[in-house]
Amino acid sequence: MFKQLVNECVIDLHIRPDGPVLIKSGIATVSGPDMAFVTVLRNGDWEVYLPGSSLKGVLRSHAERIARTFTPEAACDPFAKKDDPEPSCSACFDKRKDEGENGLDTPTAYRDSCLICQLFGSTWMAGRLATTDAYAVGEPSQPQRRDGVGIDRFTGGTAYGAKFELEVITEGTFATTLHLRNFELWQLALVGFLLQDLKDGLIRIGMGKSRGLGKARGEVKDVRLDFLGPKAPQIDDGHLPLRGVGSLFDEAEAYGITTPDEISVPFEGELTSNGVRTTAIFPLDSFPWAQIAERWVNRVQGYSMPEAMRRYRGGGRR
Ligand SMILES: [Zn+2]
């Protein structure tokens, strides 16, 4: 995205099934961004893990739902093609290119994308948020086989009466790390909303989640903030100025990023610095998400689709 890294938020997260999470079945998998568990050979045993790309997909679709409750046009449908009435941001850029528009560089792609593409990326630009694969902590969870009794409840009846087996996991702890790089404060705040919903069990994982399976809970272990370069903040009277990319990156305005982008939060810990990186660590639930929440709310409520995209996206009607 940018040539240099100016800030990064690293979130260590534990995810636990809260009831059966379907990892495998005889049913053709549902389309869309499902978070399917898969197995990998690790330490000599087959072990269940959660691919980071699947986790990111689930977080993305939840973020889209949150955004649309505020402002429908703030989130495109990333699966919508060029011929659909409301193409995705990527498809809109493809059309702009097809029509001979010049100057479709990365700043333009960022500036004109919907808020969700700005955070999660698209075929036109890398996202700010990355998720690692989630591996079992301690004893790996053993998948359990269950037969298909009652399966019609969540296959919608298409496989009614068919004989097949399911594999589920019902316990275990999976550790993953979210990396948010070169973020704006509203993006960090939106991640806070996602973490809260994960904690509250509102984000389902695995297959069959639309049918009530896949309840899980996420727990933040710690949040680390890194600032790089000469504009890294210092503690001032028990407060830490959190700086988004708009306060750290000189060319931010070309990307349509708000400048300055800073909010002061109470911080009781100590900053450490190795001369390159200034680091603040917030253990467990101590990160002040509530204090930055309004950055997301204001950004999404005030969102208006750029005219260059409105020509193709139809004004966010859905
Ligand atoms: Zn988009």
Short mmCIF file of all heavy atoms in Angstrom, two decimals, residues 22-23 86 106 119 152 179 228:
data_model
loop_
_atom_site.label_atom_id
_atom_site.label_comp_id
_atom_site.label_asym_id
_atom_site.label_seq_id
_atom_site.Cartn_x
_atom_site.Cartn_y
_atom_site.Cartn_z
N LEU A 22 -19.07 -27.17 12.59
CA LEU A 22 -18.98 -28.16 11.52
C LEU A 22 -17.70 -27.96 10.73
O LEU A 22 -17.44 -26.88 10.23
CB LEU A 22 -20.20 -27.98 10.61
CG LEU A 22 -20.42 -28.97 9.49
CD1 LEU A 22 -20.58 -30.38 10.04
CD2 LEU A 22 -21.65 -28.56 8.70
N ILE A 23 -16.89 -29.01 10.65
CA ILE A 23 -15.66 -28.85 9.89
C ILE A 23 -15.68 -29.65 8.60
O ILE A 23 -14.93 -29.38 7.69
CB ILE A 23 -14.42 -29.22 10.72
CG1 ILE A 23 -14.49 -30.63 11.25
CG2 ILE A 23 -14.24 -28.23 11.85
CD1 ILE A 23 -13.20 -31.10 11.86
N GLU A 86 -25.06 -3.59 -9.16
CA GLU A 86 -24.14 -2.87 -8.26
C GLU A 86 -22.84 -3.63 -8.15
O GLU A 86 -22.63 -4.41 -7.23
CB GLU A 86 -24.77 -2.72 -6.88
CG GLU A 86 -25.92 -1.76 -6.88
CD GLU A 86 -26.46 -1.53 -5.49
OE1 GLU A 86 -25.64 -1.41 -4.56
OE2 GLU A 86 -27.68 -1.51 -5.35
N THR A 106 -2.60 3.38 -7.16
CA THR A 106 -3.00 2.89 -5.83
C THR A 106 -3.70 3.97 -4.99
O THR A 106 -4.71 3.67 -4.36
CB THR A 106 -1.77 2.34 -5.08
OG1 THR A 106 -1.11 1.41 -5.94
CG2 THR A 106 -2.20 1.61 -3.82
N LEU A 119 -10.29 -1.42 4.10
CA LEU A 119 -9.72 -2.17 5.21
C LEU A 119 -9.26 -3.57 4.79
O LEU A 119 -8.17 -4.01 5.16
CB LEU A 119 -10.74 -2.29 6.35
CG LEU A 119 -10.31 -3.11 7.57
CD1 LEU A 119 -9.03 -2.57 8.20
CD2 LEU A 119 -11.42 -3.13 8.62
N ASP A 152 -31.26 -32.35 8.19
CA ASP A 152 -32.16 -31.58 7.32
C ASP A 152 -32.45 -30.19 7.88
O ASP A 152 -32.79 -29.28 7.17
CB ASP A 152 -33.45 -32.35 7.10
CG ASP A 152 -34.10 -32.77 8.40
OD1 ASP A 152 -33.45 -33.51 9.18
OD2 ASP A 152 -35.23 -32.36 8.66
N HIS A 179 -3.08 -8.61 12.12
CA HIS A 179 -2.12 -7.53 11.87
C HIS A 179 -2.84 -6.43 11.08
O HIS A 179 -3.34 -6.69 9.99
CB HIS A 179 -0.93 -8.01 11.03
CG HIS A 179 -0.05 -8.98 11.75
ND1 HIS A 179 1.10 -8.59 12.39
CD2 HIS A 179 -0.15 -10.31 11.91
CE1 HIS A 179 1.68 -9.66 12.93
NE2 HIS A 179 0.94 -10.72 12.66
N LEU A 228 6.33 3.71 13.84
CA LEU A 228 7.69 3.75 13.29
C LEU A 228 7.98 5.13 12.71
O LEU A 228 7.08 5.77 12.18
CB LEU A 228 7.85 2.68 12.21
CG LEU A 228 7.69 1.25 12.72
CD1 LEU A 228 6.28 0.75 12.53
CD2 LEU A 228 8.66 0.32 12.03
#
